[in-house]
Amino acid sequence: NNHLHEKDSFYKTFYIDSMFGNDSYSGLSETTPKKSLDSISNIISTYQELSPLRILLKRGSEFYGNLILTGYSATEEYPFILDAYGTGDMPVIHGSGSDADVTTNAILWIQEENTRVSNIEITGPECTRGIYVLPRKKGIYKNIVISNTEDKNLDIYGKPN
């Protein structure tokens, strides 16, 4: 268990809270969380190669839009982490889009290996893909783990489920 705490110190952790966050905050603590899905893309582009990233979404938060997880470097030992923090219901990402455009049709699109996504609910009645794994480069991508997530109300068969 001590090894886990030692490993935690290598991560750059950001907190996102749709209710009480503000994208002008640093996001580096639960008391100064960022607010939006857009802030996640900005964090990734800023810190992509500097250290392993852990993005934590506040339980009870609801986010609107789609998220592409791409452009970060992660390793098997230090994967990119998207997870929840706090107590209460899982954070929800309400996606939007149409089947005509894969970039907006996938609510959460994972494009990199060494990625962990946990404890998030995905919903989008206009989308046919909830969490979508499609690498941005050719080759075999490894170590992508999706756990304890819920895909709800997706338009899988031409009508929301």
Side-chain angles (χ1 to χ4, degrees):
N1 206 1
N2 276 343
H3 179 67
L4 288 177
H5 294 297
E6 289 172 17
K7 225 172 156 177
D8 283 353
S9 67
F10 289 106
Y11 276 92
K12 187 91 168 169
T13 301
F14 289 90
Y15 299 86
I16 317 293
D17 181 340
S18 69
M19 298 169 289
F20 302 107
N22 186 316
D23 284 345
S24 67
Y25 294 167
S26 71
L28 294 172
S29 74
E30 291 183 41
T31 58
T32 59
K34 291 197 172 284
K35 182 177 184 78
S36 70
L37 292 178
D38 288 341
S39 69
I40 296 172
S41 299
N42 294 335
I43 290 166
I44 291 170
S45 66
T46 302
Y47 293 93
Q48 58 189 329
E49 307 260 339
L50 299 177
S51 62
L53 291 174
R54 177 175 33 215
I55 310 288
L56 301 177
L57 306 180
K58 174 80 179 207
R59 287 183 175 274
S61 284
E62 295 190 43
F63 302 93
Y64 293 86
N66 303 23
L67 180 60
I68 300 174
L69 297 180
T70 190
Y72 50 87
S73 59
T75 64
E76 191 171 334
E77 186 178 7
Y78 296 105
F80 175 91
I81 296 171
L82 180 65
D83 204 341
Y85 75 97
T87 58
D89 293 336
M90 284 192 278
V92 180
I93 299 176
H94 300 280
S96 61
S98 73
D99 198 33
D101 181 3
V102 69
T103 61
T104 60
N105 187 38
I107 297 167
L108 177 59
W109 185 359
I110 300 170
Q111 292 187 333
E112 304 289 351
E113 62 185 346
N114 300 312
T115 299
R116 301 277 186 279
V117 174
S118 305
N119 303 306
I120 295 171
E121 181 181 321
I122 304 291
T123 182
E126 299 169 349
C127 299
T128 58
R129 294 176 180 95
I131 298 175
Y132 186 52
V133 178
L134 181 66
R136 64 185 174 96
K137 297 183 233 172
K138 290 182 181 181
I140 297 171
Y141 278 48
K142 298 185 245 178
N143 197 26
I144 297 172
V145 178
I146 300 166
S147 63
N148 197 37
T149 62
E150 294 184 26
D151 290 355
K152 292 184 176 177
N153 200 28
L154 299 175
D155 186 14
I156 297 172
Y157 301 106
K159 62 182 179 191
N161 295 331

